[in-house]
Amino acid sequence: MPDDNLNRYFVSVNHGLIQEERGDSSEYEVLLSSDGLTVLQDLLADLASGDDYAFRRALVPYKSADHDDAAEQFDATTIRLFQYLHDHGTDETRLQIEGLNVLQKLENTGYQDEGYGTGSPTNK
């Protein structure tokens, strides 16, 4: 049973929006307290900031995206956001996120393959 202090919000990760009414771009429905809303707003702001940083780092042609701090930071922030949405989402939201498989760590990264050694100039 939902807590009386929880409000329903509709979140668009792609647009960085949190709305009280379902809109065309609303992807996920969550139930949050006012403190929970603040956490979600911070997570979306972190994602936007990380996206900007990752974009700027992508313009460096000799840097491997696989081992780039900007990409790793963006990935970690994305996972934290989707975990939060999953934890506070409706049943439908949880099913949607589970279907994306964004919460699972990669089992086989391929980092053991040739070219990922510490002496490679494309690694950090």
Side-chain angles (χ1 to χ4, degrees), residues 95-110:
L95 286 172
Q96 283 177 277
I97 292 171
E98 288 166 9
L100 295 174
N101 282 331
V102 294
L103 301 181
Q104 308 227 350
K105 295 271 186 187
L106 290 175
E107 295 297 322
N108 181 10
T109 61

Side-chain angles (χ1 to χ4, degrees), residues 19-35:
Q19 301 173 307
E20 293 182 4
E21 300 290 328
R22 186 181 295 276
D24 291 338
S25 64
S26 299
E27 301 155 349
Y28 306 104
E29 183 177 349
V30 294
L31 299 170
L32 299 170
S33 66
S34 60
D35 289 342

Side-chain angles (χ1 to χ4, degrees), residues 11-17 25-28 40 44 47 78 81-82 85:
V11 181
S12 171
V13 173
N14 291 337
H15 295 98
L17 294 174
S25 64
S26 299
E27 301 155 349
Y28 306 104
L40 179 58
L44 285 171
L47 185 66
T78 301
L81 172 62
F82 276 98
L85 293 172

